[in-house]
Amino acid sequence: SDNTKEGFLSRMALNDNKAGMEGLDRDKINKIIMETSKGSRFYENELKKEQQVNQRIEKMMLQKAQITEQQLKKAQAQVERVALELERSRDLTRVIVHVDMDAFYAAVEMRDCPELKDKPMAVGSMSMLSTSNYHARKFGVRAAMPGFIAKKLCPNLVIVPPNFDKYRAVSDEIREIFADYDPHFQPVSLDEAYLDFTDHLEKRQSWPEIMFYYDSIAPFTLLGIAPNMMLAKVCSDKNKPNGQYVLPSTREAVMDFVQALPVRKVSGIGKVSEKMLNALGISSCSHLAQQMALLSLLFSETSWHHFMQVSLGLGSTYIPRHEERKSMSTERTFKELSKVEEQLSLCRELCEDLAEDMKKEDLKGKTVTLKLKNVNFEVKTRALTLQYAVATADEIFAVAKDLLKMEIENESPQPLRLRLMGN
Ligand code: TTP
Ligand code: MG
């Protein structure tokens, strides 16, 4: 029906919420994406997710229609109380930096094979791309797009298979530099981290001139500097690639910045939340502030509190120390893995990687979580919490193996057909 077609379009359509993807011919690109993906498993799964979101929106609109003037008034009063409280917690004294490498996997491959620099290229496979360089982005080619669609958008696209050991080695080098500036920096993924520069900047004031020549972060120009983590993350995306953005630490600068900010740019507001908010006429953070009473009646407390923090430009100013870290993970995507022995040996490998990462940060953990995505793109996580903390590959594997075996049994006599595993 027309309805499903439109539903398809909004979900499958080019997601250009990524640096280097401004001003593309969306209609042309969407037509190709649509024609190429129709009937694929990827398409079917996106369609299903789209329908679920549409149902959620329908339910929300029904709920909205029931809201009375009086309820809204009461909610408004509560919203104002919470806003005042949050305002009191505003801290503008920290200098938080968010670093996110430009086209990370692609940049590493271009470093090792300079001919690729002037060509559109992506890292991944015909079934899925991990990322693309900025030339490829001009064609609408991006991360999380199947390679076969990307090839239709850009027939000259070079697809390089991923080499995770290499990306991890580069990441280690970068992290050593981070540690010079903030020994407690928080890594988020191989190419991304939060740092608190406040103490470093203070120390710098007394540096002799010569020290600045040895300043190793100078080549890292992809920084976002702001008074808190939420804002720093948005800032680091602003002048990509190869640029940085500094948001001054005044309430006025923060509020101006947030007013104009599209909700989708905020970390934690993804495709689904964006669509639900759009259905309520909310696209920028200034709308978010205007509709807060309504939002408090339609969303969970956690959600609307988060929305309110965002609309006030508030975020965390405290980067948790390593010891307080809640979790650490690693995962791998592949085309299909259905043999039990292969699944177990991959699981073992992931446990080894994880144990190695944990050792580096001197971490232990009590909960082991196994994440699986099957060939229909359905994601499952299975977890087990122990009485004691584990850290070695053997200890983690002992638990992860059981979780995996349970899933294999659940599926039998059919094989478990996986395309992603993580823990
Ligand atoms: P990102 O920082 O999101 O992307 P990027 O560094 O490639 O590009 P940008 O310049 O926009 O920051 O992710 C970092 C790496 O993580 C990326 O190089 C590859 C990997 N990745 C995936 O494997 N799958 C994904 O869907 C995404 C978004 C990233
Ligand atoms: Mg990046």
Side-chain angles (χ1 to χ4, degrees):
S1 71
D2 272 4
N3 233 343
T4 28
K5 194 171 161 197
E6 255 169 47
F8 160 78
L9 265 176
S10 75
R11 199 172 169 99
M12 288 294 286
L14 174 70
N15 174 357
D16 60 0
N17 181 41
K18 188 126 188 88
M21 304 199 71
E22 304 78 18
L24 301 183
D25 185 345
R26 293 189 59 121
D27 288 346
K28 192 176 143 207
I29 292 172
N30 283 331
K31 198 163 161 256
I32 299 176
I33 294 180
M34 178 106 146
E35 282 167 4
T36 316
S37 53
K38 207 141 201 179
S40 69
R41 232 168 3 213
F42 181 72
Y43 171 96
E44 294 303 326
N45 191 58
E46 291 296 308
L47 199 64
K48 204 167 80 192
K49 283 195 274 187
E50 177 74 28
Q51 283 161 356
Q52 284 166 359
V53 177
N54 286 342
Q55 278 166 13
R56 269 176 75 180
I57 291 177
E58 258 170 56
K59 231 175 98 188
M60 177 179 77
M61 296 317 264
L62 286 177
Q63 229 180 313
K64 180 180 175 239
Q66 309 273 316
I67 294 173
T68 64
E69 260 321 295
Q70 204 187 356
Q71 279 172 316
L72 211 53
K73 239 178 154 174
K74 205 172 140 205
Q76 184 60 33
Q78 197 203 0
V79 157
E80 279 164 25
R81 267 198 308 276
V82 175
L84 266 174
E85 227 171 88
L86 284 173
E87 190 59 55
R88 266 201 294 273
S89 73
R90 189 186 294 272
D91 175 4
L92 293 166
T93 63
R94 309 305 293 180
V95 180
I96 305 293
V97 174
H98 179 259
V99 189
D100 187 310
M101 302 296 149
D102 295 331
F104 184 52
Y105 296 180
V108 175
E109 297 302 339
M110 290 190 289
R111 178 197 69 177
D112 294 345
C113 182
E115 303 96 88
L116 291 173
K117 272 191 187 149
D118 307 311
K119 295 178 187 158
M121 64 86 72
V123 175
S125 68
M126 284 305 256
S127 56
M128 189 51 71
L129 300 181
S130 301
T131 192
S132 58
N133 71 2
Y134 279 74
H135 294 301
R137 291 183 196 190
K138 290 278 154 263
F139 295 86
V141 172
R142 56 158 295 153
M145 175 184 275
F148 68 88
I149 296 179
K151 273 282 198 186
K152 281 272 158 45
L153 291 171
C154 175
N156 291 328
L157 182 74
V158 181
I159 300 182
V160 179
N163 186 340
F164 295 104
D165 291 336
K166 219 156 70 174
Y167 312 142
R168 204 166 306 130
V170 175
S171 179
D172 286 345
E173 283 177 53
I174 300 165
R175 287 179 187 183
E176 261 178 58
I177 297 170
F178 293 163
D180 289 343
Y181 292 84
D182 175 8
H184 306 290
F185 76 92
Q186 184 183 46
V188 180
S189 63
L190 288 182
D191 91 320
E192 189 185 337
Y194 289 98
L195 294 83
D196 185 335
F197 261 49
T198 321
D199 295 345
H200 172 76
L201 290 172
E202 205 162 295
K203 256 189 255 154
R204 257 176 115 93
Q205 305 238 315
S206 56
W207 274 13
E209 192 82 7
I210 184 87
M211 288 274 282
F212 291 94
Y213 289 103
Y214 298 100
D215 196 357
S216 49
I217 208 147
F220 289 90
T221 46
L222 14 79
L223 309 177
I225 306 166
N228 64 52
M229 289 166 78
M230 187 277 288
L231 293 168
K233 167 106 179 161
V234 178
C235 287
S236 73
D237 195 55
K238 229 168 148 59
N239 290 327
K240 256 179 178 292
N242 201 21
Q244 51 176 280
Y245 188 92
V246 186
L247 179 58
S249 289
T250 64
R251 186 180 185 278
E252 199 190 357
V254 168
M255 290 309 279
D256 283 349
F257 182 80
V258 163
Q259 293 296 308
L261 189 66
V263 288
R264 184 68 167 95
K265 292 283 175 196
V266 176
S267 168
I269 301 186
K271 256 198 260 195
V272 174
S273 306
E274 182 194 28
K275 209 176 162 196
M276 297 188 66
L277 291 171
N278 283 350
L280 297 168
I282 297 169
S283 58
S284 79
C285 293
S286 56
H287 303 143
L288 212 53
Q290 290 155 14
Q291 300 293 331
M292 203 50 75
L294 178 64
L295 293 171
S296 76
L297 295 170
L298 294 176
F299 287 82
S300 71
E301 189 176 77
T302 323
S303 294
W304 76 262
H305 278 193
H306 178 242
F307 292 149
M308 180 174 265
Q309 299 210 3
V310 169
S311 73
L312 291 168
L314 295 169
S316 174
T317 52
Y318 176 70
I319 298 178
R321 308 267 136 148
H322 289 331
E323 332 44 294
E324 303 167 26
R325 263 185 65 147
K326 289 216 177 72
S327 73
M328 186 172 232
S329 66
T330 178
E331 64 180 52
R332 206 92 37 96
T333 310
F334 28 84
K335 198 164 170 156
E336 177 172 339
L337 201 62
S338 317
K339 291 210 183 81
V340 174
E341 315 85 74
E342 283 173 12
Q343 290 169 349
L344 282 167
S345 89
L346 176 69
C347 181
R348 170 87 218 178
E349 221 177 281
L350 286 166
C351 291
E352 277 162 13
D353 285 356
L354 187 63
E356 201 179 306
D357 287 347
M358 288 170 71
K359 198 171 158 195
K360 274 186 207 139
E361 295 192 25
D362 203 18
L363 280 178
K364 283 181 162 237
K366 275 191 176 174
T367 302
V368 177
T369 306
L370 179 72
K371 178 175 164 189
L372 302 170
K373 190 192 275 183
N374 66 18
V375 287
N376 299 319
F377 293 88
E378 289 155 353
V379 180
K380 261 190 197 169
T381 55
R382 292 285 172 266
L384 194 77
T385 299
L386 307 161
Q387 297 292 324
Y388 49 92
V390 294
T392 69
D394 284 338
E395 292 169 327
I396 303 169
F397 183 60
V399 182
K401 180 187 67 193
D402 287 344
L403 293 171
L404 178 59
K405 280 188 174 158
M406 267 195 292
E407 281 319 299
I408 295 173
E409 271 163 36
N410 273 345
E411 208 64 22
S412 83
Q414 303 300 323
L416 184 61
R417 302 175 62 194
L418 296 178
R419 67 182 331 280
L420 177 147
M421 189 188 290
N423 59 19

